[in-house]
Amino acid sequence: MRPPRILYVQCSRDEDYLRSLEAVGLDVESVPPDGDVGVALQGIDGVVLAGGYDVDPALYGETMHPACTLADASRDAFEIDLARRCLRDGLPLLAICRGMQVLNVAAGGSLIQDLPSQVPVAIPHAVDDTLTTLAHGLDVVDGTLLSRALGAGMPTQVNSRHHQAAKVIGQGLVVSAHATDGIVEALEAPDSPFCVGVQWHPENFWRTGEFLPLFRLFAMACQNRFAVHM
């Protein structure tokens, strides 16, 4: 039996994502953020949306803040279509950093476009000393998939490299973690077998394994999807 096949949308820092996915036994199909989404999803058991530049605020009905750095329109369109299909079809989705923001926008939500200027009381969320520098604490909501993944005694400190965050939460999504300042750090869709978005970068810890349980839970959902549809 083949391992579950994952669609991973390429970004500027692929290695840690790929290492984390391979560490939990997933077969990764790495694709650029363009092309036909329906074709890209053929034979796929799960999707990973990675980090990158800001989502165009026009997609959630706002004008662009001066601090925004936009991704290209084709990437926005490709990834939002992917996220909506995952939500519609129950295809396991792990969405990281920009990926979580794409998920929220795809579900009809909106974003805080620039935390430093729009939420000046927020703690620093763009801490880029090293990829694994711990930036702030994490409060995980009990009973969520994320709480199941992290479990008792797992890390409550995370790295952080974002200047945007979820504002209005998209339809069908719930908040599953906050930073200690109240900024949303994780979203999930309770009606999906696995749909989790996290604002930090768990993939950077593949060498030490702190967040591999999150990838393992994603891999389990992908395996279940494969077993049902084989």
Side-chain angles (χ1 to χ4, degrees):
M1 181 184 296
R2 70 165 174 83
R5 182 168 295 124
I6 304 307
L7 186 72
Y8 165 76
V9 183
Q10 296 165 354
C11 72
S12 60
R13 291 176 170 171
D14 290 335
E15 181 181 2
D16 286 358
Y17 291 99
L18 298 177
R19 295 277 193 169
S20 295
L21 295 167
E22 291 163 359
V24 294
L26 295 171
D27 178 17
V28 182
E29 179 74 19
S30 181
V31 299
D34 55 29
D36 186 290
V37 171
V39 172
L41 285 175
Q42 291 178 6
I44 293 298
D45 306 304
V47 172
V48 174
L49 297 179
Y53 293 121
D54 302 332
V55 179
D56 188 346
L59 295 169
Y60 48 92
E62 295 187 10
T63 57
M64 187 174 69
H65 188 282
C68 282
T69 305
L70 297 182
D72 61 82
S74 62
R75 176 170 188 145
D76 284 345
F78 185 79
E79 293 187 335
I80 286 174
D81 192 3
L82 270 177
R84 287 177 176 162
R85 291 186 190 223
C86 289
L87 289 167
R88 182 192 70 193
D89 300 336
L91 185 63
L93 172 64
L94 179 59
I96 294 173
C97 199
R98 167 188 155 91
M100 189 188 96
Q101 296 164 5
V102 167
L103 169 62
N104 194 45
V105 172
S110 65
L111 304 176
I112 300 167
Q113 291 192 47
D114 184 59
L115 285 168
S117 61
Q118 295 181 312
V119 190
V121 297
I123 61 177
H125 285 265
V127 178
D128 204 9
D129 295 343
T130 71
L131 297 184
T132 56
T133 296
L134 297 177
H136 60 73
L138 190 70
D139 296 322
V140 180
V141 177
D142 289 341
T144 59
L145 272 175
L146 186 63
S147 68
R148 178 181 165 194
L150 299 185
M154 292 303 292
T156 55
Q157 295 283 321
V158 296
N159 57 352
S160 189
R161 297 195 299 277
H162 62 101
H163 80 110
Q164 299 195 327
K167 183 167 65 175
V168 176
I169 305 306
Q171 184 176 1
L173 302 179
V174 299
V175 176
S176 53
H178 293 91
T180 50
D181 59 0
I183 295 299
V184 175
E185 284 288 320
L187 295 170
E188 55 190 68
D191 292 336
S192 177
F194 187 100
C195 178
V196 175
V198 299
Q199 194 61 80
W200 72 96
H201 285 272
E203 79 282 357
N204 294 147
F205 297 87
W206 66 268
R207 294 173 181 83
T208 49
E210 288 91 333
F211 293 103
L212 279 181
L214 176 60
F215 288 94
R216 290 193 189 103
L217 194 62
F218 171 62
M220 185 183 305
C222 297
Q223 181 62 60
N224 291 341
R225 171 87 179 188
F226 170 61
V228 169
H229 291 90
M230 66 180 295

